[in-house]
């Protein structure tokens, strides 16, 4: 790709992130979380945000190498507790309604040589200290967005037959493609059309008001009850001020809340999960009365077990999401090794917390009130992919009748 063309596409991407993803409003504060090798994209997003009237753009830089060495060598007391200023900063950011942009670009297996108990210890400490940000994000109090950028280590994992530079260039092209960005198109108009299509699917599901969903494929036989007063959502969300934003780019999903008390059966993953820098493959879970009673994986089993033990809610489900197998990301036949993209190629579920917006008036309820409706609560929310070309999904209506929702991996 010629450098001039790349720069034009990257500018369109930055504009899309600011204009549609976060939907920057005048006077808004924004924080961007990014790896140090993504300064170019960060600077372009910053310029686009200030052009739309942002008040200030804060950047929190990350460095996988630095973090890996810290996880290897810090003592357990340091790993298990965050400094006081971290929580104070998190609370201050959310009190100021600071919008969040997270850029995914690091090696999905970057912490594979770190003992899983050390990774888990730090992850749990981080989630506790960052609870103000996590709660505001889950509740859509602020606008938030997760996007991808091509890091060299990640690119070479995806395209392991190419040199680092060739793999990075190819990954950038795929990121542009799956985000509907080309030199010729009106990307904002194309995204609005895409959002409208997904909203129609959500509206149909809300009209059905299913009691449960039954999943069946060669690898999965699972019945998932749906939360009382559940709401199906699609690409767009609305923050506390009523401003629209798009939390994930790309996005192909329609999702809602399961009832964590009523989930039974077995489910197996169909794509790798990168969690805390460790790849977990071939996840197999058995659930009874809504909770995991057995877990297995070909790789990363110890990390999976640590995840499920995070707290009581981590052993149940907080999200059920429908994604057609015949979709742009799936049809690329590329495994991206990052949940942001792979979850939009496949039906997926999430271990852990539910989104309050996935039940009626949920954002105004206490945790106890939401749990009474069947919504799960946890420190974590971790998606894993289960979709396949042979997946059949039936909705169970309030009278127990089955309504086809998916056949052969696609909308019925």
């Amino acid at each position: 790709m010629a450098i001039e063309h790349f720069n034009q596409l990257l500018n369109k991407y930055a504009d899309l992130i600011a204009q549609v993803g976060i939907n920057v409003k005048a006077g808004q504060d924004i924080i961007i979380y990014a790896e140090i090798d993504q300064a170019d994209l960060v600077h372009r997003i910053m310029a686009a945000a200030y052009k739309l009237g942002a008040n200030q753009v804060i950047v929190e830089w990350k460095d996988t190498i630095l973090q890996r060495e810290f996880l290897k060598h810090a003592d357990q007391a340091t790993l298990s507790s965050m400094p006081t200023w971290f929580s104070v900063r998190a609370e201050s950011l959310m009190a100021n309604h600071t919008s969040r942009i997270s850029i995914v670009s690091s090696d999905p297996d970057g912490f594979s040589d770190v003992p899983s108990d050390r990774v888990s210890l730090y992850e749990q400490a981080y989630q506790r200290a960052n609870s103000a940000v996590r709660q505001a994000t889950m509740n859509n109090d602020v606008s938030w967005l997760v996007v991808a950028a091509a890091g060299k280590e990640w690119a070479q994992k995806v395209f392991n037959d190419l040199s680092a530079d060739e793999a990075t260039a190819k990954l950038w092209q795929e990121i542009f493609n799956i985000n509907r960005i080309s030199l010729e198109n009106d990307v904002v108009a194309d995204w609005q059309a895409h959002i409208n299509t997904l909203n129609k699917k959500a509206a149909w599901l809300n009209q059905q008001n299913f009691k449960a969903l039954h999943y069946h494929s060669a690898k999965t036989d699972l019945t998932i009850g749906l939360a009382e007063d559940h709401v199906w959502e699609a690409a767009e969300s609305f923050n506390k001020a009523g401003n629209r934003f798009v939390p994930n780019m790309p996005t192909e999903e329609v999702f809602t809340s399961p009832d964590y008390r009523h989930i039974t059966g077995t489910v197996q993953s169909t794509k790798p999960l990168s969690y805390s820098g460790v790849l977990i493959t071939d996840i197999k879970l058995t659930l009874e009365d809504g909770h995991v009673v057995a877990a297995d994986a070909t790789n990363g089993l110890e990390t999976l077990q640590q995840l499920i033990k995070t707290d009581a809610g981590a052993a149940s489900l907080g999200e059920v999401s429908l994604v057609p197998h015949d979709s742009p990301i799936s049809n690329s036949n590329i495994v991206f090794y990052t949940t942001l993209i792979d979850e939009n190629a496949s039906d997926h579920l999430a271990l852990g917390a539910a989104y309050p917006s996935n039940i009626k008036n949920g954002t105004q309820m206490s945790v106890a009130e939401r749990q009474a409706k069947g919504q799960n609560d946890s420190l974590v929310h971790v998606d894993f992919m289960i979709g396949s070309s042979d997946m059949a999904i039936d909705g169970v209506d309030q009278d127990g009748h089955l309504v086809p929702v998916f056949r052969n991996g696609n909308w019925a």
Side-chain angles (χ1 to χ4, degrees):
M1 190 189 317
I3 188 65
E4 180 183 352
H5 288 175
F6 175 78
N7 285 330
Q8 289 176 328
L9 293 168
L10 200 62
N11 282 334
K12 290 186 81 168
Y13 191 32
D15 288 341
L16 177 68
I17 289 166
Q19 189 174 340
V20 177
I22 286 294
N23 187 17
V24 175
K25 301 299 182 184
Q28 193 171 8
D29 287 356
I30 297 161
I31 183 167
I32 302 174
Y33 306 89
E35 290 280 330
I36 55 175
D37 61 350
Q38 297 303 329
D40 188 13
L41 176 59
V42 169
H43 294 160
R44 293 172 197 247
I45 296 170
M46 185 183 300
Y50 279 130
K51 188 176 179 180
L52 292 168
N55 175 54
Q56 65 171 331
V57 180
I58 306 158
V59 181
E60 183 171 304
W61 298 107
K62 299 184 289 182
D63 181 351
T64 295
I65 295 173
L66 185 153
Q67 184 70 4
R68 182 168 58 237
E69 294 307 304
F70 166 75
L71 290 171
K72 282 183 178 179
H73 300 293
D75 60 38
Q76 288 210 343
T78 302
L79 289 175
S80 60
S81 63
M82 301 292 289
T84 303
W85 64 261
F86 187 90
S87 295
V88 173
R89 182 173 184 261
E91 290 165 5
S92 176
L93 286 167
M94 295 303 98
N96 200 39
H97 307 296
T98 306
S99 296
R100 307 177 61 238
I101 300 172
S102 299
I103 301 175
V104 175
S105 67
S106 60
D107 182 353
D109 208 16
F111 300 151
S112 60
D113 60 345
V114 181
S116 62
D117 60 332
R118 295 178 66 80
V119 175
S120 178
L121 201 62
Y122 176 79
E123 184 67 28
Q124 291 180 34
Y126 177 89
Q127 293 296 343
R128 287 192 299 270
N130 202 45
S131 62
V133 171
R134 180 177 55 83
Q135 290 169 9
T137 301
M138 295 292 291
N139 208 43
N140 290 342
D141 290 342
V142 299
S143 298
W144 58 276
L145 170 64
V146 186
V147 295
K152 284 190 175 183
E153 290 81 7
W154 173 30
Q156 285 197 285
K157 180 144 328 253
V158 178
F159 304 112
N160 56 19
D161 57 336
L162 300 179
S163 70
D165 288 343
E166 290 171 332
T168 304
K170 186 167 178 57
L171 182 54
W172 267 122
Q173 187 58 65
E174 292 298 333
I175 289 170
F176 294 143
N177 289 343
I178 61 181
N179 280 291
R180 295 172 160 76
I181 298 168
S182 71
L183 292 174
E184 299 80 20
N185 73 327
D186 182 340
V187 67
V188 173
D190 285 358
W191 262 90
Q192 187 55 59
H194 178 52
I195 289 168
N196 292 342
T197 298
L198 291 174
N199 282 344
K200 288 177 183 177
K201 296 296 186 186
W204 179 79
L205 287 161
N206 283 322
Q207 190 177 34
Q208 300 303 309
N209 188 32
F210 291 127
K211 184 177 181 179
L213 296 177
H214 178 245
Y215 289 70
H216 189 268
S217 72
K219 295 184 175 182
T220 291
D221 185 2
L222 184 70
T223 300
I224 301 177
L226 298 180
E228 183 183 345
D229 295 331
H230 66 273
V231 176
W232 288 91
E233 293 185 88
E236 62 183 5
S237 297
F238 294 86
N239 67 18
K240 203 169 187 178
N243 297 323
R244 187 180 80 170
F245 65 98
V246 178
N248 289 345
M249 289 182 154
T251 184
E252 304 288 340
E253 66 178 323
V254 182
F255 62 96
T256 195
S257 267
D259 186 330
Y260 77 95
R261 302 162 298 189
H262 301 294
I263 307 167
T264 302
T266 58
V267 60
Q268 191 165 337
S269 68
T270 52
K271 290 180 181 290
L273 165 66
S274 176
Y275 177 68
S276 291
V278 177
L279 275 180
I280 310 173
T281 59
D282 303 319
I283 296 168
K284 187 173 183 179
L285 303 178
T286 301
L287 293 98
E288 294 177 2
D289 297 324
H291 288 79
V292 175
V293 295
D296 199 6
T298 303
N299 297 299
L301 176 57
E302 192 174 349
T303 298
L304 175 64
Q305 291 171 333
Q306 295 280 0
L307 164 61
I308 292 168
K309 292 176 184 175
T310 300
D311 52 29
S316 190
L317 301 180
E319 180 186 337
V320 51
S321 182
L322 304 181
V323 180
H325 187 72
D326 184 18
S327 59
I329 302 168
S330 179
N331 290 340
S332 74
N333 292 315
I334 298 169
V335 177
F336 287 91
Y337 299 102
T338 182
T339 303
L340 167 66
I341 302 179
D342 288 334
E343 74 170 9
N344 285 294
S346 171
D347 296 316
H348 55 273
L349 306 172
L351 290 164
Y355 289 106
S357 59
N358 278 147
I359 57 170
K360 293 175 185 175
N361 303 315
T363 58
Q364 280 81 52
M365 293 181 183
S366 67
V367 171
E369 288 171 329
R370 291 193 293 105
Q371 286 180 314
K373 298 278 188 180
Q375 277 208 319
N376 196 25
D377 184 58
S378 174
L379 281 173
V380 297
H381 176 98
V382 181
D383 298 285
F384 63 101
M385 288 61 75
I386 66 167
S388 59
S389 61
D390 67 337
M391 178 63 76
I393 304 173
D394 287 303
V396 183
D397 71 16
Q398 297 299 322
D399 296 319
H401 301 125
L402 298 182
V403 178
V405 178
F406 267 45
R407 288 294 182 269
N408 299 316
N410 292 307
W411 291 100

